[in-house]
Amino acid sequence: MTEQSTILEGLEISIHALVQSINGLMQREEKLRSRGLHERADKVRLVIDRLYALRDELIRILEKQRLELTAVV
């Protein structure tokens, strides 16, 4: 496996892990809201939003890396 392939695989794994974390936190947020704990749910939502931003940035990096890889090949 080339260094570039390793980087792409690492980015894909990181993105997948972030999505799983986001999904779990969304369930947590929903449970908190259903229990009337809106302040805590709002804090969880802030973390979710930050993770979405991080995921989006990793996706942009992944796409850029893929473009660079195809341009070289």
Side-chain angles (χ1 to χ4, degrees), residues 36-61:
L37 302 170
H38 298 286
E39 205 170 297
R40 287 180 64 189
D42 290 344
K43 290 178 183 178
V44 172
R45 172 48 57 181
L46 288 174
V47 173
I48 291 168
D49 292 343
R50 282 185 246 148
L51 290 177
Y52 269 125
L54 180 56
R55 183 209 59 179
D56 293 346
E57 184 62 26
L58 287 177
I59 289 171
R60 281 191 286 277
I61 292 168

Side-chain angles (χ1 to χ4, degrees), residues 5-35:
S5 297
T6 304
I7 291 169
L8 292 176
E9 183 179 359
L11 286 168
E12 289 169 352
I13 291 169
S14 296
I15 291 166
H16 180 72
L18 278 171
V19 169
Q20 288 182 322
S21 295
I22 290 167
N23 289 340
L25 285 170
M26 289 175 77
Q27 291 174 355
R28 176 82 173 134
E29 178 192 19
E30 187 177 308
K31 285 181 184 178
L32 288 169
R33 289 202 191 281
S34 70
R35 294 180 185 152

